[in-house]
Amino acid sequence: MFALLTDIRYGQTRALVAAICCAAVCGIVFGLSMPLISLRLEYMTGSGLVVGLNGAAAALSTLVMAPVMPRIMRLAKPRYLLSLGLACAAALFLLFPVFVSVEAWFVLRFIVGCLMTLVFVISESWINQVVSPHRRALMLGIYGTALAGGFGVGGLLFAALDPMADTAFWLGALIFLAGILPVTLLKGPQAVPPDEEGSSIKAILKAAGSAPAAILAGLAFGALETLAFSLLPVYGDRIGLEHALIGALMVAAALGGLSFQIPLGWIADKTNRRATLFWIAAFTTLSPLAMGLSSGNLALLLMLVFLQAGMASGMYSVGLSLLGERFSGGAIAPANAAFIFAYGLGSFAGPPIAGGAMDMMGPWGLLVTLAAISGSYVLIVGLRSLTRQAD
């Protein structure tokens, strides 16, 4: 057992475990803090608009931070940056109960979001650089499952704690600090930063243009995931479900995200990652429409929500693995920054588009938006594949 912590032969495994632990830690704090901050703001202001804008601040931080991440990765060793980011996030989390004002919480949430973007870009680049090519999608599926599982654990912690007490903020800070331990203690290969040329905005744009199937998968998943957790409860309410049944919809979506990423990663590794993304998108184009037709059958609706969320989750891990297939070494960092930026853009733009569609079309507005997002991906990737075959 001690050899696992010291033997050079297991260095790659230790690096992978450290990176995956970063995802789990961030997932736990996200699952704890998102409902905590939203509920406290609701009590403070009574304004749904304020709560929504505060959530948008977190998405905006991704759009601001991702383009500069390759350059930041050149400033210090990636393990040090990860530890510093988690430590600063812990310190900022302790400031929420100190500065109890709407303005302060906007600033704090934005900065914490920037630090989490740092953690995600470095840890995902790290995995893609050190993992064996034949199991890349599988390991990224494990990474995504750890993130989703952490989100669930955070939700359970929120349910167990008093939202009006400050204990949850202290616990969140401790969880961030706990994430530093595997990063510093599990010795192994470092993440490789990009070179000077690869740290520019131009390199990020070039990477995005070189791997559109992967980058667009990040964009689509950002929108699909955010819509599932933000507007699916509204959909349930508008089709007349009781509160407990709306909760069942959310549980089904969460369980789907936990259950599918590892199997889909395994399939992508054994077959073709680009084709796997195409068929995932094809399924998530049709499943929302089936949800609308089955809204009168609760059991079928829950199954379709489970399948929709589960299949959609594969777009993130398989999309990342396609990046690792296309790029290597330090070149992965700008590509991953482009992927995270696309994810943030989808998260930022998806809810207002779907919300407007629901205002015009009723509950079907959400389902049509979900289908349109995945359908657009199917068309773009399908047409590119046909073009490549013609060439």
Side-chain angles (χ1 to χ4, degrees):
M1 180 62 70
F2 185 71
L4 292 175
L5 299 176
T6 59
D7 196 317
I8 192 173
R9 293 175 298 174
Y10 302 111
Q12 181 191 67
T13 299
R14 290 192 294 269
L16 290 171
V17 170
I20 290 170
C21 284
C22 289
V25 163
C26 291
I28 293 171
V29 179
F30 276 156
L32 172 63
S33 65
M34 287 176 66
L36 173 67
I37 293 172
S38 295
L39 193 59
R40 291 283 287 266
L41 282 171
E42 171 68 15
Y43 290 151
M44 289 162 58
T45 66
S47 170
L49 177 62
V50 170
V51 174
L53 289 175
N54 189 266
L60 182 62
S61 68
T62 302
L63 299 179
V64 171
M65 190 69 171
V68 300
M69 270 308 305
R71 193 165 296 279
I72 290 175
M73 287 181 67
R74 292 178 50 82
L75 299 178
K77 291 181 178 180
R79 283 182 185 263
Y80 175 79
L81 290 173
L82 281 174
S83 299
L84 181 63
L86 290 168
C88 290
L92 289 168
F93 221 63
L94 292 174
L95 296 180
F96 278 93
V98 175
F99 299 101
V100 185
S101 72
V102 173
E103 295 79 9
W105 281 26
F106 268 84
V107 174
L108 289 171
R109 193 160 191 187
F110 177 82
I111 299 175
V112 170
C114 288
L115 294 170
M116 291 303 92
T117 301
L118 179 147
V119 173
F120 284 130
V121 171
I122 294 177
S123 60
E124 290 167 4
S125 299
W126 195 7
I127 292 174
N128 253 328
Q129 289 168 355
V130 304
V131 73
S132 300
H134 68 276
R135 58 174 186 154
R136 174 173 280 119
L138 174 63
M139 290 306 303
L140 285 164
I142 294 173
Y143 171 87
T145 302
L147 178 60
F151 195 96
V153 171
L156 291 175
L157 291 174
F158 170 76
L161 297 171
D162 180 1
M164 298 311 296
D166 296 335
T167 308
F169 291 109
W170 302 337
L171 180 59
L174 286 175
I175 293 170
F176 273 135
L177 292 176
I180 297 174
L181 295 177
V183 173
T184 56
L185 297 180
L186 297 179
K187 303 301 182 182
Q190 286 266 9
V192 180
D195 57 22
E196 180 65 31
E197 183 180 353
S199 63
S200 65
I201 299 294
K202 182 180 178 180
I204 296 175
L205 295 174
K206 182 178 179 180
S210 300
I215 301 302
L216 290 174
L219 177 70
F221 176 73
L224 294 176
E225 180 194 47
T226 306
L227 292 181
F229 287 101
S230 61
L231 289 178
L232 190 58
V234 179
Y235 172 81
D237 181 69
R238 291 195 179 186
I239 63 173
L241 294 183
E242 298 177 357
H243 178 75
L245 296 180
I246 293 174
L249 286 182
M250 304 310 296
V251 170
L255 289 176
L258 275 172
S259 303
F260 276 70
Q261 294 194 58
I262 293 175
L264 288 173
W266 182 84
I267 291 170
D269 283 336
K270 296 298 182 182
T271 56
N272 180 287
R273 294 175 182 125
R274 188 186 301 271
T276 302
L277 282 172
F278 177 87
W279 289 113
I280 287 172
F283 182 91
T284 54
T285 299
L286 298 176
S287 52
L289 304 179
M291 287 165 54
L293 297 174
S294 66
S295 59
N297 186 326
L298 180 61
L300 182 56
L301 177 61
L302 289 172
M303 178 58 69
L304 287 169
V305 168
F306 172 79
L307 293 172
Q308 162 72 14
M311 291 293 286
S313 69
M315 299 192 79
Y316 191 85
S317 52
V318 179
L320 277 175
S321 72
L322 191 59
L323 277 187
E325 180 182 306
R326 175 65 178 78
F327 301 94
S328 62
I332 289 179
N336 194 266
F339 186 90
I340 294 295
F341 181 88
Y343 168 85
L345 183 60
S347 300
F348 188 76
I353 293 173
M358 292 183 78
D359 287 342
M360 291 188 295
M361 303 170 61
W364 272 96
L366 172 62
L367 305 179
V368 170
T369 304
L370 290 171
I373 292 167
S374 295
S376 298
Y377 185 88
V378 168
L379 288 175
I380 293 170
V381 174
L383 289 173
R384 279 184 55 83
S385 296
L386 291 174
T387 304
R388 288 159 65 98
Q389 291 174 6
D391 294 339

